[in-house]
Amino acid sequence: MKIVKATYLISSPSFEQCPTLQAPEYAFIGRSNVGKSSIINALCKQHNLAKTSGTPGKTQLINHFEIISNTIAKGKQDKWYIVDLPGYGFAKVSQSSRRRWEQMIENYLRKRPNLNRVFVLIDSRHSPQKIDIAFVEQLFKWEIPCTIIFTKSDKEKPGVVTRNVKAFFESLNEILPYLPEGFVTSAEKKTGTEEVIACIDQYNKLYAEEQG
Ligand code: GTP
Ligand code: MG
């Protein structure tokens, strides 16, 4: 699968205000500053599609991007959506705005009809963080399918990245009935992006089959 067009659609301040869409969508979520917007840009091969920033907490809204891709085998085009969600775990937010975030995210994740899968982003430079493990556990409890994307792999030695990825899955293994799929990526070096795109192609096919 190859992305032929990626365009910004809309930013919504709440789940209720998100547009009604027919095609499958994929949400990207993770700690503030983990690299959500950067990996979206890398997947779409564009620099400024999703706004990136060195300041955590940049993405505050539910941002939809419309993607047109072609499946080479069949020569046909698919439409699907990427959603850039605001990050969690940003220390400098008040209790009330944290609660607002939780409510908005829970509503979106549990009620969005065309949400096909959630990509949870994990910083590959760090050993397993409680907040990330708890978030993946919550998704399992809600029965929301997820895939892990390890980010910023260019920033650490390969050995460290491998150790952190292994430790993360070991932590998940203690609490989950089965493990989600995972990809190691770098938005900087554009590594792992083809694998994520191929994986979305599979999820699109399954979605189309489910919809009949
Ligand atoms: P919020 O929207 O604030 O939650 O952040 P985010 O998760 O969207 O992160 P963003 O993509 O804005 O990236 C945060 C910072 O990390 C930026 O300075 C990026 O340039 C940097 N960054 C993101 N991905 C990579 C990567 O793969 N390698 C390197 N070296 N830096 C990265
Ligand atoms: Mg962002």
Side-chain angles (χ1 to χ4, degrees):
M1 180 174 82
K2 206 173 154 58
I3 291 177
V4 291
K5 199 170 162 216
T7 46
Y8 167 76
L9 183 66
I10 196 168
S11 297
S12 316
S14 72
F15 156 76
E16 288 80 3
Q17 284 155 283
C18 287
T20 302
L21 300 170
Q22 304 305 329
E25 70 186 40
Y26 301 91
F28 286 65
I29 194 161
R31 287 192 93 148
S32 188
N33 216 40
V34 69
K36 296 175 291 293
S37 302
S38 300
I39 201 72
I40 290 170
N41 289 336
L43 291 172
C44 297
K45 298 193 169 80
Q46 288 194 28
H47 288 298
N48 282 317
L49 186 64
K51 300 274 173 295
T52 63
S53 160
T55 318
K58 175 81 184 166
T59 311
Q60 295 287 353
L61 303 162
I62 302 173
N63 302 296
H64 275 81
F65 301 92
E66 186 182 289
I67 315 294
I68 305 290
S69 62
N70 61 20
T71 315
I72 296 152
K74 288 183 185 153
K76 81 172 177 54
Q77 292 204 324
D78 288 321
K79 188 199 279 185
W80 45 282
Y81 298 92
I82 283 178
V83 181
D84 190 5
L85 292 173
Y88 55 79
F90 179 40
K92 287 186 196 152
V93 299
S94 64
Q95 192 81 346
S96 65
S97 58
R98 186 164 305 158
R99 246 183 246 122
R100 210 168 41 238
W101 176 90
E102 282 173 357
Q103 202 52 62
M104 162 172 139
I105 295 296
E106 177 171 353
N107 273 329
Y108 168 82
L109 293 174
R110 300 183 79 180
K111 297 182 187 168
R112 184 78 179 151
N114 62 318
L115 177 63
N116 198 26
R117 187 160 282 264
V118 176
F119 286 99
V120 182
L121 275 66
I122 305 293
D123 194 325
S124 69
R125 296 174 296 173
H126 307 309
S127 55
Q129 305 287 302
K130 268 196 195 130
I131 194 168
D132 293 324
I133 299 290
F135 188 77
V136 175
E137 188 179 20
Q138 185 63 260
L139 288 176
F140 267 72
K141 283 191 182 143
W142 288 338
E143 297 181 356
I144 297 167
C146 70
T147 299
I148 312 295
I149 293 182
F150 295 93
T151 63
K152 306 191 185 183
S153 65
D154 62 286
K155 284 195 147 191
E156 258 302 350
K157 293 193 194 86
V160 176
V161 169
T162 306
R163 193 175 67 215
N164 290 338
V165 168
K166 192 163 169 266
F168 190 79
F169 282 121
E170 278 167 5
S171 297
L172 286 182
N173 200 32
E174 287 169 16
I175 51 165
L176 300 180
Y178 62 92
L179 291 175
E181 201 173 359
F183 296 95
V184 177
T185 69
S186 159
E188 182 74 25
K189 300 270 182 256
K190 311 279 185 291
T191 49
T193 52
E194 294 302 319
E195 288 81 356
V196 174
I197 291 289
C199 158
I200 292 175
D201 193 25
Q202 290 304 315
Y203 299 150
N204 278 342
K205 285 194 180 107
L206 290 172
Y207 186 87
E209 280 166 26
E210 280 166 18
Q211 304 296 304

